[in-house]
Amino acid sequence: MSSALWIAVLASAVGTLLMRVLPLLWMQRRLERLGDDDGLEAMPQWLSLLGPVMIAAVFGVSLMPVTPGLLSWIATAIGVLATLAVWWVKRTLGWPVAAGVAAYGAVVMLTALVGPLP
Amino acid sequence: MNLDAVTSPGRPWLTGMREAIPLLGGYVPVAISFGLIATQAGFTPWEAVVISTLVYAGASQFLFVGMVAAGAPLWLVVAMTLLINLRHVVYAPNLAPWLTPSRAWPWLMHGLTDQVFALAHARLPELPAAQRLGWFGGAALLAWASWVGGTALGALAGGELVARWALMGEILPFALPALFLVLVAPRFTSRRWALALSLTILVALALTILGFTNLAIPLAAACGALCFQVVKFGPARQEHAKGDRHE
């Protein structure tokens, strides 16, 4: 790798780190300035709104199967339903994820055994 | 939200690691792909590992090696990499109210990926203050290590792995949507939130299907936030972001 390419890697790394760190420092100063009796109240409303919607957006993006196709979408739907069902009953983190992956995997493996749909 | 893992007061980092295990299902196969693609693009395994260690941002890394391989000007490569990672600017401030005084936090922000943010945003408010630093350190370190390790594996033996365990590479990444679903489901606390979050999910999915993966997260989030601000269900049912965020 050339020196110029190393510099590009370092610039990307430092820039990415700064985008993660500088907003934290800004928010921490804001919290200090406003008094941290209730940190949540010191957070701008638009910012507290962005947290949940960013997670929802990441979820939406992650729903895209590795190999898109009718069967992988069916497997995704079944995996989502299995995850939701177990979450509804258990209200925990680990079991719903395990159930979702198991259901998704079962559909994918069954499909591989049976063969593709006509 | 109650979690399976009982928080052990003496070893919160271990709890963080345990709770970050579902992330590995998504990280390792993608990291293996990155290692493989980077070496195919002309990078050595060592260089691929350094990129994963230092940049540590999945989508932008793929773009980086792709643009370099295509001969794009390096200033444009860096600019596009940073543009894709711009969404990260809203993550840390959202966690700030739950971060304890420590000089380690800014350094730990290197590990604040989309997935670690989603997990931390749900978990940090539930943890005692004394355990948050350890918990975050454990979760972020495991995710980072899996990304770097997966890259090394992909760079050194990616072709053989993909050929041998193709099905696993397809199944394991479902751990990510399953995890995010569990993190987002408890936030459907009202019709207003349900509408905004559903719209966000649908827009993100639609943009991804259309091939705009890198734009999907910020654009979908902006749509959802706009929907939350604009749509209200009458004065009696009016909900406020400030009130809801405590849930």
Side-chain angles (χ1 to χ4, degrees), chain B residues 8-239:
Chain B
S8 48
R11 287 182 292 179
W13 59 273
L14 203 58
T15 308
M17 283 191 166
R18 200 162 51 213
E19 291 179 2
I21 286 173
L23 298 180
L24 270 56
Y27 273 35
V28 175
V30 179
I32 288 174
S33 304
F34 173 74
L36 180 62
I37 287 169
T39 48
Q40 285 172 347
F43 291 85
T44 64
W46 153 249
E47 288 163 353
V49 167
V50 169
I51 292 172
S52 274
T53 306
L54 296 180
V55 181
Y56 188 37
S60 67
Q61 287 183 217
F62 280 95
L63 185 81
F64 186 95
V65 297
M67 286 183 77
V68 169
L74 288 181
W75 67 266
L76 187 62
V77 174
V78 174
M80 289 304 294
T81 303
L82 296 180
L83 193 64
I84 287 177
N85 293 337
L86 198 59
R87 66 184 184 280
H88 290 171
V89 297
V90 301
Y91 291 163
N94 263 286
L95 299 181
W98 293 285
L99 304 190
T100 48
S102 168
R103 290 189 177 185
W105 282 115
W107 296 107
L108 286 173
M109 289 301 108
H110 179 56
L112 192 63
T113 59
D114 300 316
Q115 295 78 13
V116 170
F117 164 71
L119 190 60
H121 193 258
R123 282 297 279 141
L124 286 181
E126 298 174 338
L127 292 170
Q131 295 183 19
R132 290 175 193 161
L133 184 67
W135 180 93
F136 188 91
L141 196 64
L142 181 72
W144 190 33
S146 74
W147 181 255
V148 175
T151 301
L153 204 58
L156 293 169
E160 195 181 334
L161 285 173
V162 170
R164 191 170 290 185
W165 287 302
L167 220 49
M168 279 296 112
E170 198 171 324
I171 293 169
L172 288 179
F174 190 78
L176 281 187
L179 175 66
F180 295 138
L181 178 58
V182 176
L183 295 176
V184 84
R187 298 177 190 277
F188 281 69
T189 51
S190 64
R191 283 197 294 168
R192 194 176 175 197
W193 268 116
L195 185 67
L197 294 173
S198 302
L199 180 72
T200 307
I201 293 165
L202 288 175
V203 171
L205 181 58
L207 287 171
T208 308
I209 290 170
L210 291 172
F212 300 105
T213 310
N214 295 325
L215 280 175
I217 293 176
L219 270 186
C223 287
L226 192 66
C227 171
F228 186 87
Q229 291 293 357
V230 170
V231 180
K232 289 168 184 169
F233 290 98
R237 292 175 179 272
Q238 212 168 44
E239 299 115 19

